[in-house]
Amino acid sequence: MAEPSAFWDRMADRYAAQPISDEQAYRTKLARTQSHFTPDMDVFEFGCGTGGTAIIHAPHVRSVRAVDFSERMLEKARIRAAQAGVDNVTFEKGDITTMPIAPASYDVVLAMSVLHLLQNRQAVIQRVFDILKPGGIFVSSTVCIAETARWLGYIAPLGRALGLLPVLTVMDRDQLRQDITRPGFTIEHDWRPKPRAAVFIIARKPD
């Protein structure tokens, strides 16, 4: 996740103010994720943004460690957690591919709306596999740009050079599934609430 933080720092206020585009689908994803939780679990989320998902999940587990590469996003996340009275979630600036994390440290790893924003997606998914405990769960929600807005892939390099767009990688649903299963994950749940929506996947590391 080498994307410079400057773009996301600039976007933080706008991002925080945006309503959830499909509230019902979001609530379904939360519920399906929480169905795998137990109170003794430790959760890691990368690309946490302003912390909304981490804060909602925190009361259902022992701890949530949430990271992002935008300090401005994290400032908003910390404020939201304090306002919600949630004290078992931490927010820190970091990159999952380089920050020190012991192998088999976490029960669940979350990647919500972030895999399509990575240049090194396969390396990130491999790191997720490594830091999960045996039997651990990887939950992701990913925009498959090849099926929703392929044209963005052509203008993304220019937009990024001008500071108008982040990294955007073009992939379809099959490519996403292949990337997730390559390290050894088994996909247990694959859901798209409507055509062209983000693909929600729950995958498990073997015991």
Side-chain angles (χ1 to χ4, degrees), residues 50-123:
T50 56
T53 298
I55 291 167
I56 291 171
H57 285 325
H60 301 274
V61 296
R62 177 165 55 195
S63 71
V64 180
R65 181 185 183 188
V67 304
D68 201 276
F69 42 63
S70 167
E71 185 58 41
R72 180 64 177 151
M73 292 275 195
L74 293 167
E75 290 172 2
K76 292 184 174 296
R78 295 182 189 111
I79 292 170
R80 292 175 75 173
Q83 291 173 339
V86 174
D87 59 6
N88 65 329
V89 58
T90 60
F91 294 101
E92 60 187 282
K93 188 172 182 178
D95 180 335
I96 187 176
T97 62
T98 58
M99 62 192 305
I101 308 171
S105 296
Y106 290 97
D107 302 285
V108 180
V109 174
L110 307 177
M112 309 308 289
S113 300
V114 67
L115 292 181
H116 58 286
L117 302 175
L118 307 177
Q119 287 182 313
N120 54 346
R121 182 176 68 253
Q122 293 178 4

Side-chain angles (χ1 to χ4, degrees), residues 95-161:
D95 180 335
I96 187 176
T97 62
T98 58
M99 62 192 305
I101 308 171
S105 296
Y106 290 97
D107 302 285
V108 180
V109 174
L110 307 177
M112 309 308 289
S113 300
V114 67
L115 292 181
H116 58 286
L117 302 175
L118 307 177
Q119 287 182 313
N120 54 346
R121 182 176 68 253
Q122 293 178 4
V124 169
I125 295 172
Q126 180 63 59
R127 188 79 196 280
V128 170
F129 188 87
D130 293 341
I131 68 174
L132 275 170
K133 298 175 183 178
I137 295 292
F138 177 35
V139 181
S140 62
S141 182
T142 309
V143 177
C144 293
I145 294 174
E147 301 170 356
T148 59
R150 179 177 287 274
W151 57 272
L152 273 175
Y154 299 108
I155 68 168
L158 176 60
R160 186 183 177 201

Side-chain angles (χ1 to χ4, degrees), residues 3 7 10 152 155-168:
E3 170 67 19
F7 174 85
R10 290 196 305 271
L152 273 175
I155 68 168
L158 176 60
R160 186 183 177 201
L162 295 174
L164 301 176
L165 290 174
V167 169
L168 291 171

Side-chain angles (χ1 to χ4, degrees), residues 165-181:
L165 290 174
V167 169
L168 291 171
T169 57
V170 177
M171 61 178 158
D172 60 25
R173 191 175 190 168
D174 287 340
Q175 289 171 315
L176 174 63
R177 288 176 57 91
Q178 290 168 13
D179 285 347
I180 290 174
T181 57

